[in-house]
Amino acid sequence: MILYLHGFRSSPLSMKSRLLAAQMQALGREAEWLCPQLPASPKLAIELALSLVKDVAPAELTIIGSSLGGYYATWLAEQLGCRAVLLNPAIVPLIDLEQHVGVTTEFHSDKPFEFKREYIAELGTFAVEKITEPQRYFLIAATGDEVLDYRDMLAHYQGAQQCVIDGSDHGISEFVAYLTPVLAFCGIPVDAAR
């Protein structure tokens, strides 16, 4: 089972999510794919994620998190003992998201998105100082990320499997090239579909 957690103001309509969903469908494994629309509240986002995977054995679960979703995925992986794939993950969102308090819209729609000041404190409760089992993590970090510093990611996920993309951007525009290694880490061979 894969649980995909999108980033701040994003949605299941993000490019990476759609590519992974299409690949899972091509493999006939769409029933093993979950990608919810996360609420703005970190507490509610975590509660939703936990409710979706409560009956999934940790050995059968991989959480893929992009940006803020990577921050959530790390906390969830530490709590559940499952694998996690981090795509340009946020490391210290309490600092990064302070400037985004207020009402705006989701990236893929005109739907209002409100990030309240109290959500900053909620974020703090999900901080992971140090990952405990690096072998359960796969980090993909782009040196060209215009939002987050890839060096913070490399330091935070020290000892984990790491793929550093030279250049690129926060959204990992060429993510299609990384579908196979991401799914392989999730325990899903892709070659069978080709």
Side-chain angles (χ1 to χ4, degrees), residues 11-186:
S11 76
L13 296 176
S14 75
M15 176 266 298
K16 295 185 294 291
S17 172
R18 286 185 289 115
L19 285 170
L20 283 162
Q23 188 64 65
M24 290 294 282
Q25 185 172 16
L27 294 167
R29 299 182 79 157
E30 58 268 24
E32 298 169 61
W33 170 257
L34 296 168
C35 182
Q37 176 65 57
L38 297 177
S41 160
K43 180 177 180 290
L44 294 179
I46 291 288
E47 286 175 3
L48 174 60
L50 287 170
S51 73
L52 290 172
V53 297
K54 66 181 187 312
D55 297 324
V56 182
E60 303 299 317
L61 175 64
T62 305
I63 302 174
I64 300 176
S66 173
S67 194
L68 182 59
Y71 180 80
Y72 295 156
T74 302
W75 186 86
L76 288 162
E78 288 294 316
Q79 299 303 306
L80 301 173
C82 64
R83 293 178 302 271
V85 177
L86 300 318
L87 309 172
N88 281 337
I91 307 299
V92 196
L94 286 76
I95 297 167
D96 301 328
L97 293 179
E98 178 70 35
Q99 63 188 322
H100 295 287
V101 170
V103 180
T104 181
T105 57
E106 292 177 0
F107 285 129
H108 306 104
S109 73
D110 292 329
K111 187 176 169 194
F113 180 90
E114 182 178 9
F115 190 73
K116 299 178 181 175
R117 186 158 302 283
E118 59 260 33
Y119 295 166
I120 301 286
E122 287 182 15
L123 279 171
T125 63
F126 303 113
V128 172
E129 288 298 314
K130 185 174 173 52
I131 57 172
T132 56
E133 295 182 53
Q135 72 277 8
R136 289 194 288 108
Y137 293 88
F138 177 25
L139 169 69
I140 298 181
T143 65
D145 189 325
E146 69 282 8
V147 178
L148 303 169
D149 191 329
Y150 80 98
R151 292 166 295 198
D152 294 338
M153 302 172 201
L154 297 181
H156 193 68
Y157 297 97
Q158 198 167 14
Q161 181 177 330
Q162 297 184 345
C163 172
V164 179
I165 303 169
D166 187 26
S168 190
D169 51 37
H170 186 62
I172 311 178
S173 297
E174 66 286 352
F175 184 69
V176 69
Y178 298 94
L179 285 174
T180 297
V182 165
L183 290 175
F185 187 82
C186 298

